[in-house]
Amino acid sequence: MNINTSKELYKKAKNIIPGGVNSPVRAFNSVGGSPLFIRKAEGAYLYDEDGNKYIDLISSWGPMLLGHADPDVLKAVTETAKNSTSFGAPTRLEIEIADLITDTIKGIDKIRMVNSGTEACMSAIRIARGYTGRDKIIKFKGCYHGHGDSFLIEAGSGALTMGHPSSPGVTPGTARDTLIAEFNDLDEVEKLLKANKNKVAAIILEPIAGNMGCIPPEKGFLEGLRSLCDDHDTVLIFDEVMTGFRVAFGGAQEIYGITADMVTYGKIIGAGLPVGAYAGKKEIMDFVAPTGPVYQAGTLSGNPLAMAAGYTLLKKLHDNLSLYDELEVKSKTLEQGLKKVLDDHYISNYTNRVGSMIGIFYSNHKVTGFKGANTTNKELFRKIFHHMLERGVYLPPSPFEAFFLSNALKIQDISLIISAFEDSISSICTKN
Ligand SMILES: *Cc1c(COP(=O)(O)O)cnc(C)c1O
């Protein structure tokens, strides 16, 4: 595989952009080698600057649920752009997308658009603090809520991949207000709440952890958090930046039947344009300026191109929910195929899947939280990653990221991925 152009671009980029990338995981640091510079994508395929084609299992880290360059999304964006790219004044489009979400998702009376998942989560905890008059939050080890100061403590995703789960530059004062619990450990949460009585404004979590692999909530965990939050007057925030509109239209809230007080969105909600949102019950959302005293604003928030893209994708999903069934079949086929390859080669693995998110832990333990996730064989993953890339399959370049499938994948693509995996594993095993 020739990637000379990508290598050259990377060399240039490193001199003028930190690490050559605008977001750390893209740099391939944890898998080694040179990142690919992508020129275009269509459906389930990525094309790099050297003209190589890959089956994409990242889907832009989530947004491309229906694949790249969806014709309806492209049409909406180009048509909207003709009327200018931003006004800094309200538009009809913002009402349409807010209407669709508040109408269809339980527990959401009002929604505010922002420009990224990070912004959504930062804003959500500020509102929760303003609403409760309390300072502390509880988050879970290995969960990622963007790069806001309060969240860069035992964080997942790139922070975990790069070995900086707790980042320098976050002040001790901020860190003190973030209490940490192990995912799926309800007792730990209860202890924290008791030890910090009337001090915890919010519990924030990925209801399905997706930034340390894919870890579903154990039975009773979300229910338990819901009732602890009720008992302690603490705001329960589901960070559905990854899971929202992916595991079901109504996200994890829908599949587990638990309603949070606030929900954050990102990724799919913008169909690949920079969008995030936070939403919730009226009484909480009315604390947001200009109705309420908690300040949060954005020059480009609710940007017309972003709203047009997001609305078009969400409407398509909403009007054709059977897409989720199709994606479920493909995801299940892929999960079972990959697992069979590993089992046939006696490679210990613990494989999780919720809908179109798949996480393989190369580990002989059941993985329910950060401790378990960290036992995954990172060296084996590194080898697999490069073997798969050679065979035209682009996996997330980190042992701690889930695979995100798109419905543009055809069943032949799934078979190709599985046979590439079989070839990769066979050649890794022979070499050892
Ligand atoms: C990606 C992600 C974020 C951050 O979103 P950005 O748009 O990258 O700022 C927050 N929470 C979760 C669960 C995510 O997966």
Side-chain angles (χ1 to χ4, degrees), residues 93-270:
L93 275 166
E94 293 163 271
I95 305 176
E96 279 179 3
I97 192 166
D99 235 351
L100 177 61
I101 294 170
T102 53
D103 267 1
T104 49
I105 298 183
K106 232 174 117 185
I108 294 184
D109 301 321
K110 292 191 178 185
I111 182 164
R112 168 64 65 83
M113 292 291 162
V114 292
N115 305 294
S116 67
T118 294
E119 239 189 286
C121 296
M122 272 167 42
S123 308
I125 58 162
R126 185 183 307 140
I127 312 308
R129 284 171 165 151
Y131 174 73
T132 56
R134 299 172 180 181
D135 292 340
K136 293 188 187 296
I137 59 162
I138 295 177
K139 82 170 275 288
F140 295 87
K141 259 186 216 176
C143 277
Y144 182 69
H145 306 294
H147 63 86
D149 284 359
S150 307
F151 303 124
L152 285 183
I153 296 143
E154 312 256 9
S157 188
L160 181 55
T161 307
M162 302 291 143
H164 310 301
S166 305
S167 171
V170 174
T171 63
T174 301
R176 258 196 307 278
D177 285 332
T178 301
L179 307 170
I180 305 288
E182 185 77 25
F183 195 73
N184 274 323
D185 188 340
L186 212 48
D187 289 345
E188 215 178 335
V189 177
E190 190 164 12
K191 277 187 203 137
L192 284 174
L193 284 169
K194 280 192 176 143
N196 295 275
K197 212 163 170 38
N198 299 324
K199 288 187 185 146
V200 179
I203 295 179
I204 184 166
L205 78 156
E206 297 175 62
I208 301 156
N211 283 290
M212 50 173 165
C214 172
I215 306 181
E218 299 268 278
K219 213 170 163 48
F221 181 57
L222 299 179
E223 292 82 348
L225 291 178
R226 180 65 275 175
S227 66
L228 283 173
C229 282
D230 290 340
D231 293 349
H232 292 263
D233 295 318
T234 292
V235 177
L236 180 61
I237 306 173
F238 277 3
D239 176 353
E240 298 233 46
V241 169
M242 189 179 278
T243 50
F245 314 106
R246 172 165 287 278
V247 294
F249 190 83
Q253 290 205 107
E254 179 183 322
I255 62 178
Y256 298 108
I258 307 287
T259 306
D261 301 308
M262 294 185 85
V263 183
T264 57
Y265 292 111
K267 301 191 169 114
I268 291 178
I269 200 174

Side-chain angles (χ1 to χ4, degrees), residues 289-308:
T291 317
V294 180
Y295 197 69
Q296 185 277 311
T299 303
L300 296 178
S301 293
N303 172 271
L305 303 194
M307 294 302 101

Side-chain angles (χ1 to χ4, degrees), residues 40-88:
K40 67 165 190 173
E42 196 177 0
Y45 311 114
L46 291 172
Y47 300 84
D48 68 14
E49 288 281 354
D50 291 278
N52 301 303
K53 178 183 175 183
Y54 307 89
I55 300 178
D56 180 18
L57 282 179
I58 306 185
S59 300
S60 184
W61 301 98
M64 301 302 167
L65 191 71
L66 296 184
H68 291 275
D70 180 87
D72 298 316
V73 171
L74 292 189
K75 184 164 168 244
V77 172
T78 45
E79 285 300 313
T80 307
K82 289 180 188 160
N83 294 329
S84 184
T85 50
S86 179
F87 311 115

